[in-house]
Amino acid sequence: MAPDAVELRTVGRRVPQLEGADKVTGRAVYTPDVVLEGMAHGAILRSPHAHAEIRAIDTAAARAFPGVLAIITGRDLPGIPYVHISKFSDRFPLAREKVRFFGEEVAAVAAETRAIAEEACRLIKVDYRPLPAVHEPEDALAPGAPEVNRAPADTGERNVALKFSRDFGDVAKGFAEAALVVEGDYRNGVVSPVAMETNGTVARWEGGRLTLWTATQAPFYIRKEVAHVLRLEPACVHIKPVAVGGGFGGKAKICEQEALAAALAIAAERPVRLVLTRYEDLVAGKTDHGKAMRVRTAVDAEGNILARSSSLLIDNGAYTAFGPVYVAAARQRTCNLYRVAAAHYDCRLAFTNKVPGGAYRGMGAPQIIWAIEDQVDEIAERLGIDPIDYRIKIANRPGDVTPLGWEITSCALAECLEVVRERLGWTEKRANPVPWRGVGVASMIHPSAGVLYEEGNYANVGVELTAEGRVRLATMTADAGTWQNTMLAQLCGEAMGLDPTLFEVIHMDTEASPVDLGSAASRVTYVTGNAAADAGRRLVAAIGAALGARYGLGSVAAVIMDCKVHLTGLNRPPLDLAEVFQAVGPLRVIGSFSTPATRPDPETGYGNYAAAYCFGAQGAEVEIDPVTGKVRVLKLVAAQDVGRAINPTAIEGQIQGGVVQGIGMALSEEMVFEEGRPVTTSYLDYKVPRFDDLPDIEVVTVDSIDAIGPFGAKAAGEPSINATVAAIANAVANAIGVRMRELPMTPERILAAIKARDGTPDIATRPFTRRKNFRVAAVRSLYPSLVFPALRTFGPRLAGPETAPVARAPHSYPRSVAEALAHLAEDPAGSKIRAGGTDLSVGIKQGIYSPAAIVDISRIASLAGIAATADTLTLGAGARLADVARHPDVPRLAPMVVEAIGQLATPQIRNMATVGGDLCQQKRCWFFRSALPCYKLKGATCPCFAVLGDSRNHAILSTERCNAPCPADLAPVFAALGATAVIASPAGERRVPMDGFYRWSGEPDIAPGEILTAIEIPVRRPTTATAFEKFALSKGYFGVASVAVSLDLAEGVMRRVRVAMGSVSPFPERARGAEELLEGARPTPALIAEAARATVTGALPLKPAAYKTGVLVGLTERALARATG
Amino acid sequence: MAMQRAEAAHPVLYPSMDPITVNGTAYTPAVPAETPLIDFIRDTLGLKGTKLGCGNGECGACTVLLDGRAVCACILTVGAAAGGAVTTIEGLGGESGGLHRIQAAFLEVGALQCGFCTSGMIMATAALLDDNPSPDRRAIREGLNGNICRCTGYTKIVEAVEHAARGA
């Protein structure tokens, strides 16, 4: 019987996630939830340098700190590097002679509390000698580059960890005979998995045995590596089951905290919890690899691909973790999708002073397929073929052998493309283009389980009959949220004829389960899943054998139906599983599976890699905002050949999740570095997709019933990301006629592409109409050679001693403004006011605030009031944003305030943050927020890092020493409304118009000891029209640019025109030139356009922020049109 | 002993802190008023269902209700919550210990994978539906925009919220 004709009872059902009830009730226990008797808390001291020699480490002061239990440095460990891939083993759990990236682990502390451990880390004195660092792979290969890490002897090149070059087939002939060659250079930066649960471990050392609870995908690797670096017997290391909050590759092998938690537990003789903060996870968690790719594709006149050549330069980071595997995976990605006759691949893996690259979903496929599919689209266009027709023509088909020797068996790629064509509305949308909209399509291929480590190609699963009549399934691989446990129960249950709800699945446990490599490389469904099915069959056979023996009948065949065991051919009543257990006692069997495919040649990479391959196609429809450059995905259809859907709910969720990670990779996710230090260290700056950025993701699974996969299934979860970037990029190309060559396709890159396409000149800003810009321009011209080096070198030393961060400043809770003023008067300069706390709490952790005392004004009822008179609306400074927006009077009297609050922060933050807090929050500059020693943080002797760094978010108007813009959305709104700030001081109350509320530098003009108490807004007149326009990368994020307009329109004439700009200047600057043009005039499109252009008169943007001039002009036009429309 | 010494280094206790009601029980916190609310919930009360995702109020994993409104327990202090009523995921359950309709909807629709964001997501949904009992998809996406999920791509969560709203 053909496998697809078998009647399935369990496979194919939407079985709820086995752990789902625990997760929706909060009962599931994750690593940070593990509490052990006597548990201590760990913290890690990390390198503040991208590259430095460690001359000495002095831990004396830290050891003497009360509550410290143990401190370890590199010298306290056995001096054994991680195995990773043994030839490339180059990293110790703690740095020894050198640190090679910002955030590298230098020492670890165990203490009674996390706060004490962190404080002790600060007390450890490390004597560093900074060394020249290399941040980009191209620079690492340049002559004379500093050596980041020792290259293996066989590469013969400085900073090259691995190089590879080979032809598969006759590549030269392919290019020689080509009718058409397309080529391009493609580039992607560093992206990060950022699972919602950060990496973390709880370790216990007891009686010579180490027990770990750890957020990992692969306990197998944790046991192996921890035992290795701590010189323990692997059998003495026990990984326990725990819920794991996402992995995506970031937890695919050892991270660093496992070994450190273990070493601390041994040193402290106490259990230790070591859970990384989000900052640490973003700074030191392994990332995907940055790449530069040169790709060429040769086709004949019909479009048959004769050859492809791919040259890659891959960023390895400072140590080798996954790099060599990535080089091999990248090779596969370049030439196996579609029918390609011959392929060349060469690659260099370069060391840089960055966090080591790791594994991330797709292992390079999303970006490499982006390059390939960009060229496939270009070929289709140049040959005049419909892109989907062309893809179907060149699609892989069963029986194909690819240039790398992959033998294609089950394959439904052409079917997936047809599904996308129909569901996306492709034909109609391509035929009827809408301006600024586009549709694009892309395909993917992925090995269904293929691992370069031999252990990845087999699996064992244990199953056991329990006294309660259930089946306990034990697997060493971890379910990090993929529903693997549910699917393994379904597969085993299908093999047994048993309902999956009768299963208990124990994952991860290295003692309860037989060996399995773990959840990585798309192997669990296929390899472990087959082992689970095998285990089920064996358990049924074992039941039959045991019952037969029990009844003296010899071995008999058992069949399970309706949860009962029937013995074939015997006239005995069926037994339930509990009765079986009573009759025969415990039964435990191990099922196993070994992938039948031959292995590729390890040197060349040639050979069939996996027993099956997955395929899929995705189609995207996008819309681009020509003013802001923002790409919005309107529709996304993913059709995927999954072999057979074991659990449609699980697979749809996996595919939807992979697609959304792909959308992030395509449009917004990117690590930004300054001096090798990541400055994108929060979710505000490292921008993962949110609800409001996205459409519903439409998923169609296509069955191809694989002959070897369990019940016909293939891998499905990981590869769903593979085609997304390419589909979106092709849709963008369809919309704007430009092929983007750098990821992510951020707004400023899109705007630059449109500008280059049209040859649009820069907007004339006439910067020197502002006289101080002469000085600013002169200083900037000297910045690279003189100003920056001098200030960077000497500034921090001259700035005085480091201010010690205050772990916990004393708080006071006054009940009245007078009481608050009295508290402030005790230490005016050292005190900070806390209202909603949404900025202060964060800023203290970031090291930008170090108050000696905090005056919490949240309990002063008078500050939270909202009141209106005939002509004034008064918002208390302590009024929460949500309360302002909901207040019955505010929409009527000052609708623009409500409009702005709707675009400000998240619902949770609006419930906490206050009006005064919005106005008084610190700047959001990512250099400042990373506590780089900058002018704003450290004072006049220090430089502004934006001048030479990535200043895409910075101000374009009125900057001097600091280039950070005003982040407060309400500031331009209040300025446009002509509002007045009320400030209480010991001498009495004073009123300041919003125009004068900020100093030139953007600091509120509030003296130490004073409190902002209210904002008074003139109420809207019947003729008043207002509009607020803001552009942010995501709804509620801090603005890229905003503009608030208020004017009176009576008898067709504009009066009392106020235009105030946000996020483009250190303060909410009024656009006086625009106001003058509009005042007393009748609104016409031409006048509005002219006035909008006048907003940027005098702008002197840093180059990366120059796109903001166009954004500001466009937003102003929109706001004026809306207000006068 | 060491712990007592450590606490002694930060002796600032809010002298007359109002009690905090958590899931219906009033507590007079014996912790410094500036303690993050999440530490009080997780470490003092041992309610581990509330998760710490970022510590900066950016991801929503720690969302709890304070007097019915969704807030981030990671940046709210005990002092700021004093006098208020906090509801955590443990306090959401339906009648007689069963699942709340939102919890049931998430489970039934399959709107969860790793589960780490789920508590916060469900609490944010509770606040959303309290405010707007039958939100459309646009309103759901806006209302939950303070919560990040890295696993699901959000589509099934939107479906689950619709499902829960219909089941009201």
Side-chain angles (χ1 to χ4, degrees), chain A residues 23-24 30 33 193 278 652-654 657 669 683 689-692 696 815 834 845 859 883 908 911, chain B residues 14 42 51 53 55 58 63 69-70 75 79 82 103 113-114 137-138 141 145 147 150-151 154-156:
Chain A
K23 289 177 179 174
V24 299
Y30 298 78
D33 307 332
R278 179 59 56 192
E652 288 158 8
Q654 285 292 303
E669 292 183 38
Y683 282 123
R690 286 179 180 264
F691 274 98
D692 203 50
D696 291 341
R815 300 275 182 165
R834 180 185 173 109
K845 287 182 211 158
R859 311 196 138 248
D883 291 332
Q908 285 93 328
N911 283 335
Chain B
Y14 182 45
R42 284 179 54 87
K51 303 301 180 196
E58 294 164 359
T63 302
R69 293 216 193 159
I75 51 176
Q103 293 170 319
Q113 289 181 25
C114 85
R137 294 200 157 208
R138 181 85 262 134
R141 287 189 177 271
N145 208 37
N147 293 67
R150 190 62 164 163
C151 292
Y154 305 107
T155 301
K156 286 191 185 293

Side-chain angles (χ1 to χ4, degrees), chain A residues 114-115 273 808 845, chain B residues 31-32 34-48 50 52 62 73-78:
Chain A
R114 170 81 189 187
R273 174 198 288 168
R808 220 173 231 180
K845 287 182 211 158
Chain B
V31 296
E34 60 272 23
T35 304
L37 181 63
I38 192 169
D39 290 355
F40 177 68
I41 290 171
R42 284 179 54 87
D43 299 339
T44 308
L45 301 184
L47 299 172
K48 301 287 192 186
T50 303
L52 183 68
C62 65
C74 69
I75 51 176
L76 202 71
T77 61
V78 168

Side-chain angles (χ1 to χ4, degrees), chain A residues 361-385:
Chain A
R361 195 174 200 155
M363 211 60 179
Q367 303 104 345
I368 298 171
I369 287 178
W370 159 56
I372 289 169
E373 287 287 38
D374 175 74
Q375 302 199 337
V376 167
D377 247 26
E378 188 179 339
I379 293 163
E381 188 183 320
R382 289 174 65 175
L383 296 180
I385 316 173

Side-chain angles (χ1 to χ4, degrees), chain A residues 603-756:
Chain A
E603 286 305 308
T604 65
Y606 183 86
N608 194 26
Y609 181 69
Y613 300 91
C614 345
F615 296 87
Q618 293 180 16
E621 182 180 18
V622 302
E623 182 170 60
I624 291 165
D625 182 336
V627 164
T628 65
K630 167 104 174 151
V631 178
R632 185 161 186 99
V633 180
L634 301 178
K635 188 174 175 73
L636 203 139
V637 178
Q640 196 164 312
D641 165 10
V642 300
R644 184 199 300 278
I646 298 166
N647 183 329
T649 299
I651 288 180
E652 288 158 8
Q654 285 292 303
I655 294 174
Q656 287 161 340
V659 163
V660 167
Q661 289 183 7
I663 291 174
M665 197 183 257
L667 298 178
S668 65
E669 292 183 38
E670 179 179 30
M671 297 286 287
V672 176
F673 297 84
E674 174 65 28
E675 300 182 346
R677 170 194 306 222
V679 296
T680 43
T681 52
S682 74
Y683 282 123
L684 283 179
D685 292 317
Y686 186 81
K687 222 205 116 317
V688 302
R690 286 179 180 264
F691 274 98
D692 203 50
D693 300 326
L694 298 164
D696 291 341
I697 308 300
E698 299 171 40
V699 174
V700 180
T701 56
V702 178
D703 285 0
S704 63
I705 314 300
D706 188 71
I708 296 170
F711 303 98
K714 296 194 282 193
E718 179 181 11
S720 53
I721 194 175
N722 287 8
T724 311
V725 173
I728 291 172
N730 283 339
V732 167
N734 182 235
I736 62 171
V738 183
R739 304 206 152 272
M740 301 296 291
R741 294 291 163 82
E742 185 171 8
L743 295 180
M745 294 175 274
T746 49
E748 73 279 6
R749 289 183 185 136
I750 294 282
L751 289 174
I754 295 169
K755 192 159 168 282

Side-chain angles (χ1 to χ4, degrees), chain A residues 406-425:
Chain A
W406 288 12
E407 295 162 15
I408 306 301
T409 53
S410 58
C411 171
L413 176 55
E415 291 90 326
C416 289
L417 283 159
E418 289 293 4
V419 168
V420 168
R421 174 163 20 215
E422 196 220 314
R423 294 284 292 262
L424 190 65

